[in-house]
Amino acid sequence: MKYAEVAVNSPGGRLNTFTYSIPPNLAVLTGHAVWVPFGARVLQGVVVGLSDQSVVPQTRDIAGLIASEPLLSDAQVKLARWIGEHYLCPPFETVALMLPPGFERRVLTFLQVAPNLSAESLGVLDDSQREVVSLLEGRDKVELKEVEKTVGQRKARTVMQELIRRGVVVKTQELERARVRPKEAPHLRLAVSPPEAEEEVKRLRTGRRTARQAALLELLLKEPVPLPISLLRERLGGSSLPAGALERRGLVTMESLPVTRDPLAGRHYTPSCPPWLYPSQERVWGLLEAGIAAALGGTSSPKTPV
């Protein structure tokens, strides 16, 4: 049997990694994000190591994969482990530094009445259990928090466990919706062939009020890809575009497309000069430079201090 060392996303599991057995039907690799049982809950974790032997006498199975492909490479996992050992950081905190945005989402618990439930099963329920079942009946699924608000947290959990044990209620778990979404912006593109657009440009140029429409079509002709509305406004000048009139005539199409976020776009930085070193620092730097060059297969000799 194979075992996985997992960094678990839980305050109670932040000091150590935990060993889980890998079910035969599950292909788990280092860097995989997985669902693991942790106490009475199922939590997120990241596999940071694999082994043929377990360091603990009893293990629980990994519940499933969150993503089919590993989220972290072997190099990222090694770096995360080194950071944890060097700076004494909890395992999942170092792993989380390299996870994609939106990974750390809460697990939501949903309840629903079991399909094809017999009247006999409902007849043996007590008042509290009937109250919960009536709240779930006729609905696809209800979040556990809603049930807790209605009947109280302690009562809801006690009743829920009994209803699940009897097969009256089914429990499922899902990730909450990602809070990080791709940024989108309106784009404009030609909806006709270039020859048709060129003919339309000629016709629009003859009108007194259609010069901006002709200019807009010309811009779209020069670059046969969807262009952001903000860019077209900048090039044409003015706060509005004559896109509506062209769209109504079927000449252009408006669509919303993802935009790549670049926080450094438009920023320019002047490289700073290397700091002046004291003679003792210069000697150390010369040794480091020679060591780096040797490790890379080059040749270098320590600098002679000035």
Side-chain angles (χ1 to χ4, degrees):
M1 179 173 283
K2 294 284 187 180
Y3 299 91
E5 187 181 351
V6 180
V8 181
N9 184 14
S10 169
R14 289 190 180 272
L15 298 180
N16 301 291
T17 56
F18 294 84
T19 303
Y20 289 87
S21 49
I22 302 175
N25 62 334
L26 216 57
V28 176
L29 301 173
T30 301
H32 255 134
V34 292
W35 292 112
V36 292
F38 197 81
R41 299 175 296 167
V42 176
L43 301 179
Q44 300 158 310
V46 175
V47 177
V48 296
L50 299 172
S51 174
D52 293 325
Q53 294 182 339
S54 172
V55 296
V56 294
Q58 292 185 337
T59 58
R60 302 171 74 179
D61 283 354
I62 290 176
L65 298 178
I66 295 177
S68 58
E69 298 295 327
L71 295 184
L72 301 182
S73 66
D74 288 343
Q76 287 174 311
V77 171
K78 288 179 181 176
L79 177 58
R81 300 196 72 158
W82 179 87
I83 292 172
E85 292 168 3
H86 188 77
Y87 295 102
L88 304 179
C89 296
F92 190 82
E93 287 187 12
T94 60
V95 168
L97 296 172
M98 304 172 200
L99 290 172
F103 174 80
E104 292 186 76
R105 290 181 275 163
R106 292 183 301 116
V107 180
L108 306 179
T109 301
F110 293 92
L111 305 174
Q112 60 187 136
V113 177
N116 304 320
L117 194 62
S118 64
E120 182 180 349
S121 299
L122 295 174
V124 296
L125 301 180
D126 60 28
D127 293 340
S128 298
Q129 293 165 351
R130 287 196 187 95
E131 182 183 4
V132 172
V133 171
S134 64
L135 184 63
L136 304 179
E137 281 182 319
R139 302 171 68 179
D140 180 30
K141 59 184 179 181
V142 180
E143 191 178 349
L144 175 60
K145 280 192 173 182
E146 183 180 337
V147 179
E148 291 176 345
K149 288 180 181 178
T150 305
V151 302
Q153 185 177 25
R154 182 176 296 180
K155 180 180 177 181
R157 292 186 179 273
T158 303
V159 172
M160 177 193 71
Q161 290 174 1
E162 181 61 24
L163 290 174
I164 292 172
R165 188 186 67 79
R166 294 188 182 190
V168 177
V169 167
V170 176
K171 180 180 79 169
T172 56
Q173 291 182 312
E174 299 176 11
L175 277 177
E176 67 177 344
R177 290 185 179 180
R179 298 175 185 176
V180 179
R181 293 186 176 90
K183 181 182 178 181
E184 294 189 346
H187 286 61
L188 209 62
R189 67 174 177 84
L190 283 178
V192 294
S193 65
E196 290 178 86
E198 288 172 359
E199 287 298 319
E200 194 61 32
V201 168
K202 293 176 183 177
R203 192 190 70 78
L204 291 170
R205 279 178 181 164
T206 61
R208 296 177 57 187
R209 300 182 179 179
T210 54
R212 282 176 61 81
Q213 294 180 28
L216 178 56
L217 277 179
E218 281 185 304
L219 284 175
L220 295 173
L221 270 167
K222 290 177 182 177
E223 300 185 50
V225 294
L227 295 177
I229 294 293
S230 58
L231 177 63
L232 292 170
R233 283 181 182 148
E234 181 183 330
R235 292 185 179 179
L236 276 182
S239 59
S240 62
L241 285 177
L246 297 176
E247 190 175 20
R248 286 191 292 272
R249 295 182 55 206
L251 297 171
V252 299
T253 299
M254 185 91 69
E255 53 190 26
S256 186
L257 297 176
V259 177
T260 302
R261 307 183 195 211
D262 184 2
L264 301 180
R267 295 173 179 254
H268 302 282
Y269 298 94
T270 303
S272 59
C273 296
W276 180 84
L277 300 178
Y278 288 102
S280 58
Q281 294 173 327
E282 188 71 37
R283 284 193 295 272
V284 172
W285 168 243
L287 293 171
L288 289 173
E289 193 175 32
I292 292 171
L296 295 176
T299 58
S300 177
S301 57
K303 287 185 178 179
T304 303
V306 179

